[in-house]
Amino acid sequence: MEHIVIIGNGISGVTLARHIRKLSSQPDGQAGKKITLVSAETEYFFSRTALMYIYMGHMTFEHTQPYENWFWEKNRIELKKGYVKKVETQSKTLHFAEGNTLQYDKLVIATGSKPNKFGWPGQDLEGVMGMYHKQDLDNLEKHAPNNKVCKRAVIVGGGLIGIELAEMLNSRNIPVTFLVREASFWNGVLPEGESQMINRHIKNHHIDLRLSTNLKEIKSDENGTVKSIIIEETGEEILCDVVGLTAGVTPNIDFLKDSEIEIGKGVKVNRFLETNIPDVYAIGDCAEQQEPSGNRRPVEAVWYTGRMMGEVLAQTICGNKMPYNPGHWFNSAKFMDIEYQTYGWVFGEKGRPDYEQHFHWKHSDDTKCITVAYHKDTNVFLGINTFGIRLKHETFDKWLTEKRDVDYVISNLKDANFDPEFYARYEDEIRAAYKRQLLLVE
């Protein structure tokens, strides 16, 4: 029986295991393939995006596990807890830190991401953590159970995980200082109007947002625990009990450095998610596309793309070779209590193509806005960002495929309406603002 070993039990690895089982089960009830899921983080799969809600008291860890513990045995998916130290591709052997080994016929690397560290003095002290793994949540609960134990937290890095951690700490009334290297929050991704709105929103939640500010070092008390941080630009010392490092992530592939598997930033794969070594594949956050689709980045640390890669690779492993084609870019997130969606491509000020024109509308309450990107010469719709407004994915996917023009999109926004109450109140205002901009441009 062919043995498929998957290193990593996140959304990519688990989706792959489930779909291989579904596709390979025999009519007589036999499994068809042996599947082993390996993880050093947790025994059972959980929803990583739900970690913040455990700390905020909205759910327990058990609630984040989509499958009951009996699910794995019933579906003949073996679970192995252990840390892979080395991969020998010639003999198809995994070597574990614990000293044991495991043979495979096909290997899938789905090890996800790890937080970036930039060599800051004190970055490995007690009380310094990311917010990526179950162990990070346990660490946060230990060092910041309430505002009596944790008098202040400092967050370093202005991405989506940073804003989640700020919201978490804010929910327990723990004062937060937020160090963001950029001049405006997430301005490498968001256009200026949106980024500025989020700056104001963060400050309105009584978070001490420091823009254009870098961490110099983290200082320790006599017990090897965080006591303060020093700001690079001014030398200011800020007393704190917790430091959250959220300055982005990189693929978790250090254990492959001495293997024959080709790596760059991530594990290099082709459109079929194959590495340079036969019978070895990579999916999810740790995979680096050598032929990325359209404007997509070679490495995408996004939940839904990981799930899609798992579904596609299951087809290939079960004999129906299929290329990975993620389609039009979309994503969603939350900035405190403002929901964010993006469909297609809307570039921030950095890296914005010369041909990309923007229409931006913001509501007077400063918590809702949209930005529509279109080609300035052809008027073809390129993408949309929405804050505080829910729109249908299927509608924008269709319009992007049909290459609709921006006038059509603005005139038919009601068809993308996910929240009827919103458009009953603001649709005319958005269209009027668009017409005013057209007059100014012309």
Side-chain angles (χ1 to χ4, degrees):
M1 185 185 296
E2 185 177 49
H3 188 196
I4 314 296
V5 175
I6 304 163
I7 309 176
N9 73 343
I11 185 63
S12 304
V14 166
T15 300
L16 173 65
R18 287 179 46 246
H19 282 261
I20 290 175
R21 177 56 68 235
K22 194 184 298 183
L23 294 167
S24 68
S25 292
Q26 305 297 312
D28 59 3
Q30 294 299 307
K33 295 183 189 295
K34 181 179 179 182
I35 304 171
T36 302
L37 264 175
V38 177
S39 173
E41 182 180 13
T42 54
E43 186 176 359
Y44 297 107
F45 167 62
F46 68 95
S47 174
R48 196 173 304 281
T49 54
L51 282 178
M52 67 182 293
Y53 299 110
I54 302 171
Y55 184 83
M56 293 170 73
H58 298 172
M59 58 175 62
T60 66
F61 183 67
E62 288 69 30
H63 293 150
T64 71
Q65 295 177 223
Y67 308 106
E68 299 289 347
N69 293 346
W70 51 257
F71 172 88
W72 310 101
E73 186 175 351
K74 180 184 176 184
N75 287 276
R76 290 153 295 182
I77 297 171
E78 297 182 19
L79 306 178
K80 176 171 176 55
K81 192 116 185 279
Y83 179 78
V84 177
K85 185 175 68 174
K86 183 180 178 184
V87 178
E88 277 187 4
T89 54
Q90 293 290 330
S91 61
K92 294 190 168 183
T93 305
L94 303 184
H95 293 263
F96 290 86
E98 297 80 10
N100 53 333
T101 61
L102 183 67
Q103 299 286 133
Y104 66 84
D105 294 306
K106 285 187 168 69
L107 175 67
V108 182
I109 301 159
T111 46
S113 300
K114 62 178 183 177
N116 288 332
K117 290 185 177 181
F118 294 100
W120 293 298
Q123 66 183 17
D124 296 315
L125 290 170
E126 272 285 304
V128 180
M129 65 206 72
M131 186 37 65
Y132 306 89
H133 306 115
K134 172 63 165 57
Q135 288 80 358
D136 291 327
L137 179 67
D138 296 340
N139 215 7
L140 188 65
E141 193 65 66
K142 174 184 173 183
H143 292 280
N146 52 55
N147 58 6
K148 296 179 179 62
V149 172
C150 182
K151 302 298 185 187
R152 177 167 294 274
V154 172
I155 299 172
V156 182
L160 295 178
I161 296 175
I163 195 74
E164 285 184 357
L165 182 54
E167 182 178 0
M168 291 163 67
L169 292 159
N170 208 36
S171 74
R172 295 198 184 186
N173 298 314
I174 295 170
V176 174
T177 295
F178 204 165
L179 309 186
V180 175
R181 181 181 61 186
E182 292 77 20
S184 187
F185 191 87
W186 218 33
N187 65 356
V189 176
L190 299 179
E192 183 180 3
E194 299 173 354
S195 178
Q196 295 287 350
M197 186 182 84
I198 297 303
N199 291 341
R200 294 188 293 272
H201 193 66
I202 292 169
K203 291 175 180 177
N204 286 342
H205 280 76
H206 309 292
I207 290 168
D208 176 25
L209 177 64
R210 308 283 190 98
L211 299 170
S212 301
T213 303
N214 287 277
L215 173 67
K216 181 180 181 183
E217 66 174 302
I218 305 167
K219 301 193 81 169
S220 167
D221 66 12
E222 63 277 7
N223 301 314
T225 302
V226 170
K227 76 164 187 179
S228 65
I229 63 99
I230 304 295
I231 290 181
E232 186 174 293
E233 287 77 9
T234 62
E236 178 188 355
E237 182 174 16
I238 299 175
L239 298 177
C240 58
D241 305 292
V242 163
V243 175
L245 299 182
T246 62
V249 295
T250 50
N252 182 23
I253 57 169
D254 288 349
F255 70 103
L256 298 174
K257 284 180 178 173
D258 296 325
S259 75
E260 295 180 341
I261 300 166
E262 188 178 356
I263 60 175
K265 185 177 181 182
V267 182
K268 293 190 174 183
V269 295
N270 61 18
R271 294 299 289 272
F272 295 95
L273 306 168
E274 300 166 322
T275 70
N276 62 310
I277 303 295
D279 297 327
V280 179
Y281 309 83
I283 56 176
D285 295 14
C286 68
E288 180 182 353
Q289 305 289 326
Q290 295 187 75
E291 307 167 67
S293 174
N295 288 324
R296 285 178 174 268
R297 294 177 178 177
V299 176
E300 287 184 342
V302 181
W303 184 88
Y304 80 86
T305 58
R307 187 196 65 211
M308 289 170 69
M309 287 186 213
E311 293 175 359
V312 167
L313 184 56
Q315 294 286 340
T316 294
I317 286 176
C318 292
N320 178 28
K321 193 167 184 177
M322 184 178 289
Y324 170 62
N325 179 18
H328 298 298
W329 168 253
F330 71 94
N331 202 8
S332 62
K334 201 157 72 73
F335 294 85
M336 313 299 278
D337 48 356
I338 298 180
E339 293 186 23
Y340 159 72
Q341 294 173 291
T342 183
Y343 303 106
W345 295 104
V346 182
F347 284 91
E349 299 312 304
K350 295 177 183 175
R352 180 168 157 187
D354 292 339
Y355 60 77
E356 186 175 305
Q357 191 85 22
H358 286 178
F359 159 65
H360 179 69
W361 170 88
K362 182 174 70 68
H363 188 257
S364 57
D365 70 6
D366 206 25
T367 66
K368 301 177 187 72
C369 71
I370 68 169
T371 302
V372 178
Y374 59 97
H375 197 294
K376 68 178 183 182
D377 299 321
T378 64
N379 273 356
V380 169
F381 170 62
L382 301 174
I384 185 169
N385 287 351
T386 72
F387 286 82
I389 304 166
R390 290 183 176 182
L391 300 175
K392 292 178 185 172
H393 173 212
E394 300 79 15
T395 304
F396 284 104
D397 198 60
K398 182 170 178 281
W399 288 347
L400 288 163
T401 298
E402 293 170 349
K403 297 187 184 319
R404 293 290 186 176
D405 66 37
V406 63
D407 298 327
Y408 178 90
V409 170
I410 297 294
S411 298
N412 291 277
L413 275 175
K414 64 182 183 300
D415 294 339
N417 186 340
F418 194 71
D419 180 358
E421 183 181 355
F422 171 80
Y423 280 108
R425 294 161 58 188
Y426 305 125
E427 185 181 17
D428 291 344
E429 187 180 332
I430 292 171
R431 195 160 50 232
Y434 173 68
K435 287 179 178 176
R436 283 196 301 274
Q437 177 176 297
L438 279 183
L439 290 172
L440 288 173
V441 171
E442 290 170 359

